[in-house]
Amino acid sequence: MATARQATRAAQMHAEELSAYPNVVAIGTRPVDASATKGTEAEHAVAVYVSRKVPGEQLDDEERLPAYVEVPEPGGTERVPVVVVESGVIEPEAEDTTAVRDQGYTSE
Amino acid sequence: MATISDRLELALDCVTDGRPSRVPRSLPTEEFTTEAFRAEAAAVAERAVPWTVGSGVQGVGIGEKVTEGQPTGELALRVYVDRKHPKARIDNPVPDQVDVGDLRGVITDVIAIGPVEAELFVDRTRPCMPGCGIGHPKVSAGTLGAFVRRNGNDALFALSNAHVLADDGLAARGDPVLQPAADDGGHDATDTIALLEDFVPFEFGDTGFPNLVDAAIARVEGHLVDLAIRLLGRPPAGITTNVRRGMRVHKVGRTTDLTTGIIQDVHLRLSMMYRRAAHDRARVGFRDQVLCTRFTQGGDSGSLVLSSSNRAVGLHFAGSPSSSVFNRIGHVLETLDVDLVVGE
């Protein structure tokens, strides 16, 4: 079971490669069970924030995010799950005068 | 299963508008669309007028009930007032709970937030306070987050984002900063409140996450400003670098005033497009950012993000339809080499 610390290391190590997938806007960490907000006992995952979630079957193999990434541990590796979170496009938040941009999001 | 927030939304509609704008899916539609319910809702709204739009009432909303300063974890219909008075001295106090037909026992809470003047954030405001709208003449509008000082000098600087004060970093030192901002009718001839002093240049690149902040400072004259954050009535109490998932934070911004968010991710790496030249946008990768539930909108960029004890935790700079993102305050102050002006 991946700890918060392992998830943080995994997010750092794999941020570059995970960011290269389509629609990815940010990489972070979060507990696998969203109700577990405190402590490090809960299993943690690498969170991949995307502008838009696309069903897996509509993606080519190389476009599909991996189910987990690995971090080295003494005597082996730990698998850290990857969870995909739809955040929308994240933009700098000055007042926006163009109102609605592509993808139907009101930008900032 | 009717959720408590659906019940509250319906109650809020009834109390303020006299009818539901829609019946949330978790509630039985038939019960809340009858003639009898409509009549009841209209009557409730009429009786509620003294405490929904009465003098001293700033607004009505939904939020966590707070009893003796402690959040109770229970959602309530909130009535925002400029200040609280003893119940005995009010002709029509807010009832402890509201019943609308079968929607019974909706608890209420009265929250004192000081006088809210809807246009003040976008109007010309002297003295100018953190939470007011400001911006470089070429920028639509952002928010003045806080005041800072450098190297123990007396000179005072306004803190906000580089994309607010420095036009994404394309501005020159000494450029004017307007209050009100350009989008709110500010002109450099009459509304210059500060002069751009410094900003943290963006490191552009197709890969990597080297950037920590979107931050800039502009020099202000002390007599033009008030150090107290609008709506809070005081400067930040200090800073804290302790940010945790689940922690509640708030900010005062030009567009959405005083709002609260919950931290969801404290290890965020993200990339966004900023202008590298007049017509050239390029990728800027950020590391060590903090993602919250959505509590901001366009124009709130540059707002200081505070803990519940009013200590600064970050500088708001970005958002999406479902989230708001801030720079950690420690990185902001370190990279700009400034100290936050704090007080009680």
Side-chain angles (χ1 to χ4, degrees):
Chain A
M1 192 188 81
T3 62
R5 183 179 299 229
Q6 286 167 333
T8 305
R9 271 175 55 216
Q12 277 167 18
M13 286 177 58
H14 297 280
E16 204 71 67
E17 92 195 45
L18 292 172
S19 295
Y21 283 85
N23 296 347
V24 173
V25 297
I27 309 292
T29 65
R30 63 169 54 197
V32 172
D33 176 2
S35 62
T37 54
K38 282 184 186 161
T40 53
E41 300 78 17
E43 174 160 39
H44 277 65
V46 172
V48 177
Y49 299 90
V50 296
S51 55
R52 193 166 62 89
K53 264 191 176 179
V54 178
E57 63 268 23
Q58 290 177 23
L59 294 169
D60 293 339
D61 285 348
E62 69 274 12
E63 293 176 331
R64 202 171 298 132
L65 281 158
Y68 61 87
V69 291
E70 290 183 338
V71 284
E73 282 295 324
T77 56
E78 176 71 32
R79 285 183 171 189
V80 181
V82 170
V83 297
V84 181
V85 181
E86 189 170 86
S87 64
V89 176
I90 302 178
E91 296 197 300
E93 208 154 43
E95 177 70 307
D96 184 35
T97 45
T98 57
V100 177
R101 290 188 190 157
D102 49 350
Q103 297 181 312
Y105 291 109
T106 306
S107 68
E108 310 301 327
Chain B
M1 168 80 193
T3 67
I4 184 80
S5 73
D6 282 348
R7 282 165 47 84
L8 280 160
E9 272 181 48
L10 192 64
L12 181 64
D13 277 349
C14 294
V15 162
T16 56
D17 296 340
R19 60 192 167 83
S21 57
R22 63 179 187 96
V23 177
R25 221 175 292 159
S26 75
L27 297 173
T29 313
E30 19 349 308
E31 265 178 52
F32 297 104
T33 48
T34 61
E35 276 308 314
F37 181 78
R38 278 187 206 163
E40 171 78 11
V44 165
E46 204 176 310
R47 284 199 299 276
V49 162
W51 55 268
T52 53
V53 292
S55 112
V57 177
Q58 306 292 345
V60 187
I62 296 167
E64 199 173 342
K65 186 170 174 78
V66 179
T67 301
E68 294 180 356
Q70 291 301 315
T72 59
E74 199 174 12
L75 280 178
L77 199 61
R78 277 183 158 191
V79 181
Y80 299 96
V81 298
D82 52 5
R83 62 197 178 93
K84 288 195 180 188
H85 301 278
K87 251 187 187 169
R89 284 184 26 211
I90 307 175
D91 292 338
N92 294 287
V94 180
D96 291 335
Q97 62 175 60
V98 175
D99 303 315
V100 192
D102 287 342
L103 193 65
R104 308 199 70 81
V106 174
I107 57 167
T108 64
D109 196 11
V110 179
I111 310 269
I113 57 170
V116 182
E117 283 155 61
E119 296 302 311
L120 205 52
F121 285 97
V122 296
D123 273 354
R124 185 187 161 88
T125 311
R126 301 290 183 275
C128 172
M129 288 156 273
C132 288
I134 55 164
H136 185 273
K138 289 187 179 167
V139 174
S140 51
T143 295
L144 163 56
F147 293 106
V148 297
R149 289 201 164 95
R150 237 175 187 173
N151 311 322
N153 288 341
D154 282 345
L156 203 57
F157 301 100
L159 173 69
S160 185
N161 297 134
H163 81 264
V164 171
L165 298 182
D167 190 26
D168 280 16
L170 302 182
R173 188 167 188 265
D175 274 5
V177 169
L178 311 182
Q179 199 295 313
D183 247 35
D184 301 328
H187 293 282
D188 51 4
T190 49
D191 302 313
T192 297
I193 183 93
L195 300 177
L196 180 63
E197 173 78 13
D198 199 2
F199 57 89
V200 181
F202 293 118
E203 200 171 313
F204 295 94
D206 292 337
T207 59
F209 302 88
N211 294 273
L212 291 169
V213 299
D214 174 346
I217 54 172
R219 189 177 180 132
V220 293
E221 297 295 332
H223 68 273
L224 293 176
V225 301
D226 182 341
L227 302 180
I229 302 171
R230 273 200 47 75
L231 296 180
L232 301 179
R234 52 183 172 167
I239 64 167
T240 176
T241 52
N242 172 26
V243 294
R244 291 168 287 103
R245 190 183 292 111
M247 180 172 148
R248 200 170 278 269
V249 293
H250 61 276
K251 70 95 194 66
V252 178
R254 171 253 185 206
T255 309
T256 59
D257 300 349
L258 174 59
T259 53
T260 300
I262 296 168
I263 292 178
Q264 296 201 304
D265 191 330
V266 295
H267 300 292
L268 194 75
R269 290 170 179 235
L270 82 159
S271 49
M272 291 190 296
M273 304 297 278
Y274 284 80
R275 280 176 310 141
R276 181 163 53 185
H279 301 288
D280 174 25
R281 276 154 59 90
R283 178 186 173 279
V284 175
F286 291 91
R287 67 186 152 94
D288 213 10
Q289 305 301 306
V290 180
L291 180 91
C292 305
T293 55
R294 183 83 168 139
F295 70 122
T296 58
Q297 279 178 29
D300 286 334
S301 258
S303 304
L304 193 68
V305 181
L306 298 144
S307 72
S308 51
S309 59
N310 245 25
R311 294 176 189 281
V313 296
L315 189 67
H316 168 70
F317 79 117
S320 80
S322 64
S323 55
S324 300
V325 186
F326 68 79
N327 304 144
R328 289 171 185 260
I329 194 66
H331 292 326
V332 171
L333 301 177
E334 271 165 41
T335 50
L336 283 168
D337 191 22
V338 294
D339 297 310
L340 191 67
V341 176
V342 299
E344 280 312 314

